[in-house]
Amino acid sequence: MARLDHVLFPGSFDPLTSGHVDLVHRALTFCDVVTLGVLDHSGKKPLFTADERVEIIKEVFAELGERVRAEAFSGLLVDFARRIPVSVIIRGLRATSDYDYEAQMALMNRSLGGNIETLFLSTRAQFSYISSSLVKQIASLGGDVSHLVPPAVSHALQRRK
Ligand code: PNS
């Protein structure tokens, strides 16, 4: 596969999990820069603000310098991609149950224009059961999530209790 210069990994990242981290590292094997686009939900009430999620992501990937960037966005993903500019989006697929929603988003983004391609990376088996919502639920009930998220996220969740 030809090497890519820049891909966009969009998501809520509320919070970032070890599955997301693994995906970023794998993307860096075939592209130079990954930007994590952090959705600033207008309707939803996230646990962490978009700015907090961006800061956590920057802390987690600090040692990779300019190769991993994080930026909050609101509005359409295709508009954000155009502003960066980047034409390849990456998303992880954990199980077949993810596929319908992800394929619909990919087709919708393509229909909205801008020549956006979506690349799906299959999540590694050891991370396939992790989701941000389960992590939040477990942390809110006092469970240990340190094996599911990077240390910076684990600490942020403890502080948020
Ligand atoms: O981590 P998530 O919550 O599954 O990420 C979903 C995300 C951020 C990729 C998706 O909700 C999104 O792209 N939202 C921006 C709004 C948009 O562009 N909608 C139309 C495309 S389907």
Side-chain angles (χ1 to χ4, degrees):
M1 175 159 84
R3 202 169 169 81
L4 300 170
D5 57 355
H6 196 165
V7 300
L8 171 60
F9 182 14
S12 301
F13 304 114
D14 187 40
L16 185 80
T17 69
S18 300
H20 296 132
V21 173
D22 181 59
L23 232 58
V24 170
H25 284 291
R26 285 167 54 207
L28 288 172
T29 64
F30 60 81
C31 75
D32 295 334
V33 176
V34 177
T35 291
L36 287 89
V38 177
L39 182 66
D40 194 352
H41 291 98
S42 44
K44 270 194 193 170
K45 174 92 186 78
L47 181 62
F48 296 101
T49 67
D51 287 345
E52 286 170 333
R53 284 175 272 148
V54 166
E55 283 315 307
I56 290 171
I57 291 167
K58 286 184 174 169
E59 185 182 339
V60 169
F61 294 106
E63 69 200 21
L64 293 169
E66 271 301 292
R67 291 196 71 199
V68 180
R69 301 172 188 168
E71 206 182 312
F73 79 99
S74 53
L76 286 178
L77 178 61
V78 289
D79 291 338
F80 177 58
R82 219 174 275 134
R83 276 202 305 277
I84 287 180
V86 66
S87 57
V88 177
I89 288 170
I90 60 162
R91 291 280 291 173
L93 282 182
R94 285 168 301 193
T96 50
S97 51
D98 280 344
Y99 179 77
D100 286 350
Y101 170 63
E102 293 295 336
Q104 188 184 15
M105 277 209 299
L107 290 170
M108 186 59 80
N109 284 330
R110 169 112 39 105
S111 83
L112 292 171
N115 274 333
I116 300 289
E117 282 294 350
T118 303
L119 276 184
F120 294 123
L121 301 184
S122 55
T123 303
R124 262 189 230 278
Q126 73 256 41
F127 302 121
S128 61
Y129 63 97
I130 304 177
S131 71
S132 297
S133 42
L134 279 183
V135 164
K136 277 187 284 197
Q137 186 188 102
I138 294 161
S140 73
L141 297 171
D144 177 18
V145 293
S146 58
H147 59 302
L148 308 173
V149 296
V153 174
S154 205
H155 299 147
L157 284 166
Q158 272 161 18
R159 285 197 298 273
R160 190 56 32 122
K161 267 195 219 157

